[in-house]
Amino acid sequence: MSGQPKDLRGTGLESADFKKGRVFTEYYVPKLQYAWDTGEAIGRYLAELKNGRLIARRCNRCKRNLIPPRMFCERCFRTTDDWVFVQDTGKVNTFSLCYVSWDVQRLKVPEIPAVIEIDGAFPGAGIMHKLGNVKPKDVRVGMRVRAVWKPAAERTGSITDIKYFEPMKDSKRKQAAGKAKRK
Ligand SMILES: [Zn+2]
């Protein structure tokens, strides 16, 4: 903390106060080993990612394919019915140009987290991932994209088995044609 706030009660502390033992402190290395049960829906979802496929759960009443898959339809208040494979293509629903890394370092080249509406899932349903192989200024909502997968031997059953989503070439062409028309 730099300086003492004048109008706040209490005692301001600086890093040096802790290092020099002016304040009671306790140091330890926590043992943070834990197990996480993925559950039925996400377990299958992750296993299929390792196979290079996207899988959803279908609710036969509202006829929606849910991705990421869930065993329960929150609209119909009932158990979902079937597993269905969906495409590894889709369109950008929303995105962000992120110039700050996860550990708060400034980035010159932004990360582009995006929600991808997956082809075959119900409209508006999407998964969070990131975009790659695209210039930040070229990213658009509605842009058609496809998954770029890691090689099979490197996949671990994780969402990062997809490296990123990249624009589909025909999408680029259509965009260029669209721009030409608007001019
Ligand atoms: Zn439903």
Side-chain angles (χ1 to χ4, degrees), residues 59-64 66 73-78 80:
C59 173
N60 286 337
R61 183 174 292 174
C62 65
K63 313 225 182 304
R64 295 186 309 151
L66 311 174
C73 178
E74 77 284 359
R75 277 194 196 167
C76 304
F77 216 61
R78 61 188 285 279
T80 50

Side-chain angles (χ1 to χ4, degrees), residues 8-46:
L8 294 177
R9 289 185 199 173
T11 306
L13 294 172
E14 300 190 1
S15 297
D17 296 322
F18 293 91
K19 285 177 188 160
K20 289 177 183 171
R22 291 181 189 137
V23 181
F24 173 76
T25 54
E26 169 89 0
Y27 289 94
Y28 66 99
V29 178
K31 192 176 179 185
L32 296 175
Q33 292 178 329
Y34 58 91
W36 180 55
D37 189 334
T38 56
E40 192 174 352
I42 297 300
R44 177 79 190 270
Y45 180 60
L46 296 173

